[in-house]
């Protein structure tokens, strides 16, 4: 029974695979059923839901954004529609959906002790600039607040800069690597390129999977080779997911999603690494919050919660001996992941 179930979940027959965008695609409904999820249309031909007692996934036709238990997660390839059937790229099942639903077994689930915080920009590099406010000022202010809160929570913290200085991009992950940091968190604030003022909310980036183009690719395509960061990309995705979820739920702000990018500060990190865009300096209400120390304190609290939620996932508590029969099929790790995904 176990072998049959594992085969259904992990080895969908190549006969079901279809080619789009140069990728192998599989019918979403078939994958969902094989993974123990009930599948139905929210809008026939447009939007599909895959759900069970603990999980809810929503996919839209032609969209690169999926909803995973209430949080938006960018896919590498859009969901396709073929003769009334929604299809998903096998690569997205492997690199975005499965790692979030079925917690991978990490070879070295070591405890997180040291966290490297990277306040974006600094010195001659102001970052985004709206009126007389520079992004570099607020990334540093947030980093110092987050450092204090993480230290209170028992973590060691390293900063790539603690004053208004310019630090080269490659030097930032290099410092984290040299000092043996367990996590790398780069802090930024966003702006729309046109100054359009109706976009708000945080987004959290982690490394792009090998063979995919980044979520907001600007000329950087799928043929970019593997980076150092791809070695730990599943952990980075889990960290990004937990961080985004914590920010959205705790701050009650619009969800701009977990996204993928090969930013210079992410691609050379050897530990799980994320880049957070904490909100938009071009949004008239959100920018006032970003400039407010009390709001940044709340944002830092949400980030500490996100890191602690991630830590629980990668260092799960001992698994109870008696498991419900429905959970035995896909292994014990699924139980702890799904609990934490709620
Ligand atoms: Zn920035």
């Amino acid at each position: 029974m176990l072998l049959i179930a594992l085969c259904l979940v992990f080895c969908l027959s190549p006969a079901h695979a279809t080619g789009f965008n140069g990728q192998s695609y599989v019918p979403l409904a078939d994958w969902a059923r094989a993974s123990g999820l009930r599948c139905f249309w929210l809008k026939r031909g447009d939007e599909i839901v895959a759900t069970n007692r603990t999980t809810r996934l929503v996919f839209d036709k032609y969209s690169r954004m999926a909803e995973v238990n209430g949080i938006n997660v960018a896919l590498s390839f859009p969901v396709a529609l073929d003769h009334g059937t929604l299809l998903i790229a096998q690569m997205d099942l492997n690199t975005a959906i499965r790692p979030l639903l079925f917690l991978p077994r990490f070879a070295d689930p070591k405890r997180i002790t040291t966290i490297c915080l990277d306040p974006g920009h600094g010195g001659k590099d102001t970052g985004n600039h709206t009126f007389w406010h520079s992004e570099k000022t607020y990334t540093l202010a947030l980093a110092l607040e987050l450092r204090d809160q993480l230290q209170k929570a028992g973590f060691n913290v390293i900063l790539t800069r603690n004053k208004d200085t310019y630090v080269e991009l490659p030097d930032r992950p290099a410092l984290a690597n040299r000092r043996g940091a367990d996590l790398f968190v780069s802090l930024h604030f966003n702006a729309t390129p046109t100054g359009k003022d109706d976009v708000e909310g945080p987004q959290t980036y982690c490394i792009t999977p090998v063979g995919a183009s980044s979520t907001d690719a600007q000329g950087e395509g799928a043929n970019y080779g593997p980076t150092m960061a791809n070695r730990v990309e599943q952990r980075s995705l889990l960290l990004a997911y937990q961080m985004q979820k914590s920010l959205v739920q705790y701050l009650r702000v619009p969800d701009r999603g977990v996204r993928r990018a090969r930013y210079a500060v992410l691609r050379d990190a050897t530990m799980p690494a994320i880049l957070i865009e904490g909100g938009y300096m071009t949004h008239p209400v959100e920018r006032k919050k970003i400039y407010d120390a009390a709001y940044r304190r709340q944002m830092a609290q949400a980030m500490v919660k996100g890191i602690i939620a991630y830590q629980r996932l990668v260092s799960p508590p001992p698994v109870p001996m008696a498991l419900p029969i429905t959970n035995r099929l896909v292994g014990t790790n699924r139980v702890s992941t799904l609990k934490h995904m709620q």
Side-chain angles (χ1 to χ4, degrees):
M1 271 302 288
L2 180 66
L3 276 177
I4 293 168
L6 284 174
C7 193
L8 277 172
V9 172
F10 294 109
C11 326
L12 271 172
S13 156
H16 290 96
T18 314
F20 281 105
N21 305 318
Q23 289 296 308
S24 173
Y25 271 69
V26 294
L28 250 170
D30 289 0
W31 172 80
R33 270 191 291 276
S35 305
L37 300 164
R38 203 164 54 86
C39 212
F40 56 89
W41 290 102
L42 264 188
K43 275 187 244 149
R44 181 157 289 281
D46 275 337
E47 202 174 9
I48 210 167
V49 177
T51 185
N52 66 13
R53 200 168 46 82
T54 54
T55 303
R56 182 181 154 92
L57 308 173
V58 184
F59 300 94
D60 287 318
K61 174 177 73 173
Y62 308 139
S63 175
R64 274 182 73 174
M65 201 58 92
E67 198 185 298
V68 179
N69 291 330
I71 297 300
N72 292 323
V73 175
L75 303 173
S76 294
F77 298 94
V79 167
L81 182 69
D82 183 39
H83 297 97
T85 302
L86 281 193
L87 306 169
I88 186 166
Q90 188 71 53
M91 183 193 278
D92 281 314
L93 291 175
N94 296 344
T95 62
I97 303 298
R98 278 199 196 117
L100 290 175
L101 296 189
F102 309 103
L103 182 60
R105 290 167 200 274
F106 298 123
D108 56 340
K110 113 179 171 168
R111 280 198 70 76
I112 297 158
T113 54
T114 304
I115 298 169
C116 182
L117 298 181
D118 173 42
H121 313 283
K124 64 182 182 186
D125 173 15
T126 60
N128 290 312
H129 202 77
T130 52
F131 303 104
W132 55 91
H133 296 278
S134 294
E135 181 188 352
K136 66 173 185 175
T137 309
Y138 299 101
T139 58
L140 180 58
L142 176 62
L144 296 176
E145 173 64 40
L146 181 55
R147 174 194 63 185
D148 294 350
Q149 291 195 28
L150 285 170
Q151 285 174 340
K152 275 186 202 141
F155 297 102
N156 299 326
V157 178
I158 305 165
L159 288 163
T160 56
R161 67 179 179 99
N162 58 11
K163 50 185 185 296
D164 185 17
T165 46
Y166 178 72
V167 182
E168 295 285 350
L169 293 178
D171 293 345
R172 298 172 186 240
L175 175 76
N177 294 345
R178 207 166 53 240
R179 299 279 296 273
D182 301 301
L183 300 180
F184 179 87
V185 179
S186 189
L187 301 169
H188 289 254
F189 290 105
N190 225 332
T192 55
T194 55
K196 203 163 157 272
D197 65 2
D198 60 348
V199 184
E200 63 177 318
Q203 52 198 33
T204 307
Y205 286 87
C206 57
I207 194 72
T208 310
V210 178
S213 50
S214 298
T215 309
D216 319 297
Q218 291 164 338
E220 172 260 299
N223 54 3
Y224 200 103
T227 67
M228 289 294 284
N230 286 112
R231 295 184 189 181
V232 290
E233 72 176 52
Q234 290 193 334
R235 271 183 279 186
S236 294
L237 173 67
L238 279 176
L239 176 62
Y241 181 91
Q242 293 302 325
M243 186 58 80
Q244 182 69 11
K245 178 176 157 188
S246 187
L247 287 167
V248 168
Q249 293 183 349
Y250 191 71
L251 299 174
R252 297 176 186 277
V253 285
D255 175 14
R256 302 273 307 155
V258 172
R259 292 162 182 248
R260 314 300 280 250
R262 295 185 181 96
Y263 291 135
V265 293
L266 293 185
R267 62 186 179 230
D268 293 330
T270 55
M271 69 293 298
I274 57 173
L275 183 146
I276 303 166
E277 294 279 4
Y280 279 81
M281 292 171 65
T282 35
H283 189 276
V285 177
E286 193 163 49
R287 72 166 158 249
K288 283 188 189 136
K289 294 199 283 184
I290 291 166
Y291 307 156
D292 176 31
Y295 181 74
R296 290 196 304 271
R297 201 171 308 127
Q298 284 182 313
M299 186 175 277
Q301 280 164 5
M303 289 175 177
V304 174
K305 284 172 192 285
I307 287 170
I308 290 173
Y310 165 80
Q311 185 180 42
R312 286 201 195 104
L313 275 179
V314 294
S315 316
V319 177
M321 292 302 285
L323 291 170
I325 192 108
T326 49
N327 287 327
R328 284 187 189 158
L329 294 177
V330 288
T332 52
N333 271 344
R334 185 186 178 199
V335 180
S336 51
T337 309
L338 292 180
K339 261 189 210 152
H340 288 293
M341 298 286 291
Q342 295 310 297

